[in-house]
Amino acid sequence: MKLDYVTIFPAYFAPLDLSLVGKAVEAGILNVGVYDLRDWAYDVHRSVDDTPMGGGAGMVMKPEPWGQALDCLLGIGADTDTEVNGRTCVIIPSPSGELFSQSTARELADYARLIFACGRYEGIDARVAQYASSAVEVRELSLGDYVLNGGEVAALAMTEAIVRLLPGFVGNPDSLEEESHSESMGSLLEYPVYTKPASWRGMDVPEVLLSGHHAKIAAWRLNQAEELTRMRRPDLLGRSGDSA
Ligand code: 6GU
């Protein structure tokens, strides 16, 4: 998979060199490109924002640098054979986007290329998404009902959720199956987990987990998952497996 990030703060993406994403790059599963939007801002001040048409507070990102950036990354108008195909998606992180969920992560893990267009200020001129959607799929995605200062942190969070689903990425694929929001957990939160020692600071691991009785353990875990979901996320109950 190829992952591209366009941003006015390329330094935000230093963590991509670390941890699991960095390992996936080393393993050849991932190819990452980080681009400074200002490289496509051609006026003397290399400005990327302007006041909102119609008035109002804050600044809006100008369409021209974004248009240049997307043309370049998608090979539009260039005399190259850069592929523009249906397996590319431009992702615009935005608090006004559709909610990013585990099922969104699964869908995006099937693409050959994702381009994250990270906006700052009050967002990107709406014509940029319209323009990009004439060439490739475009999705405006939100992490949840709160406001971040820009799309960078959201793009990193989405990246981690997507990349860990790629084949060959997680050491033990079974660990993807039983976690919160996985299909096999039927939209339940994951049950509490324990490791050794069996007794720690006066607190004991639940006895059933020491019993070796697999059916009883499975029943206990399901019960715990249901209880936890009822307490913390009642909104998830009654949903089908892949909607969470
Ligand atoms: Cl994707 N972007 C911004 N700026 N704020 C957010 C968000 C995204 N998701 C939740 N809040």
Side-chain angles (χ1 to χ4, degrees), residues 162-240:
I162 294 161
V163 165
R164 60 192 292 284
L165 301 178
L166 299 178
F169 185 65
V170 176
N172 173 15
D174 291 346
S175 67
L176 293 178
E177 281 299 312
E178 292 194 1
E179 65 195 9
S180 300
H181 309 297
S182 70
E183 279 168 296
S184 73
M185 288 296 290
S187 293
L188 295 176
L189 300 180
E190 192 179 2
Y191 48 79
V193 296
Y194 299 88
T195 184
K196 293 175 275 299
S199 185
W200 177 73
R201 298 192 178 187
M203 294 174 280
D204 295 339
V205 169
E207 218 174 305
V208 62
L209 299 178
L210 311 176
S211 70
H213 195 300
H214 297 299
K216 276 188 188 161
I217 291 170
W220 180 86
R221 285 176 168 167
L222 178 60
N223 181 263
Q224 290 285 308
E226 286 170 345
E227 204 49 48
L228 204 59
T229 309
R230 223 185 318 279
M231 284 194 304
R232 291 183 186 166
R233 293 294 305 278
D235 57 298
L236 294 179
L237 294 170
R239 285 210 208 170
S240 74

Side-chain angles (χ1 to χ4, degrees), residues 1-216:
M1 176 181 267
K2 177 90 204 298
L3 297 176
D4 291 321
Y5 304 84
V6 184
T7 172
I8 57 168
F9 292 120
Y12 257 100
F13 295 94
L16 290 177
D17 296 336
L18 305 171
S19 75
L20 296 165
V21 176
K23 289 209 179 84
V25 173
E26 279 172 33
I29 296 167
L30 271 188
N31 182 352
V32 171
V34 178
Y35 303 92
D36 189 338
L37 179 69
R38 288 192 202 278
D39 291 346
W40 290 286
Y42 297 131
D43 67 301
V44 279
H45 302 295
R46 299 218 294 166
S47 67
V48 292
D49 61 329
D50 207 337
T51 54
M53 285 278 213
M59 298 292 271
V60 175
M61 292 193 108
K62 294 152 61 76
E64 299 96 325
W66 283 108
Q68 297 285 350
L70 291 170
D71 286 351
C72 182
L73 292 178
L74 295 170
I76 295 170
D79 193 16
T80 68
D81 55 4
T82 308
E83 243 181 289
V84 181
N85 61 36
R87 304 316 299 156
T88 294
C89 187
V90 169
I91 296 167
I92 305 177
S94 161
S96 314
E98 34 159 346
L99 201 58
F100 178 90
S101 68
Q102 191 63 24
S103 59
T104 320
R106 280 192 291 267
E107 287 163 22
L108 294 173
D110 280 335
Y111 284 78
R113 187 178 189 198
L114 302 176
I115 301 173
F116 290 89
C118 301
R120 286 259 144 187
Y121 316 113
E122 299 302 314
I124 304 172
D125 186 300
R127 290 167 293 183
V128 173
Q130 197 185 333
Y131 174 73
S133 65
S134 66
V136 291
E137 286 174 62
V138 176
R139 295 183 73 169
E140 293 191 48
L141 296 171
S142 167
L143 290 186
D145 297 336
Y146 47 86
V147 178
L148 304 170
N149 274 334
E152 286 79 6
V153 167
L156 283 173
M158 292 176 200
T159 297
E160 195 156 302
I162 294 161
V163 165
R164 60 192 292 284
L165 301 178
L166 299 178
F169 185 65
V170 176
N172 173 15
D174 291 346
S175 67
L176 293 178
E177 281 299 312
E178 292 194 1
E179 65 195 9
S180 300
H181 309 297
S182 70
E183 279 168 296
S184 73
M185 288 296 290
S187 293
L188 295 176
L189 300 180
E190 192 179 2
Y191 48 79
V193 296
Y194 299 88
T195 184
K196 293 175 275 299
S199 185
W200 177 73
R201 298 192 178 187
M203 294 174 280
D204 295 339
V205 169
E207 218 174 305
V208 62
L209 299 178
L210 311 176
S211 70
H213 195 300
H214 297 299
K216 276 188 188 161

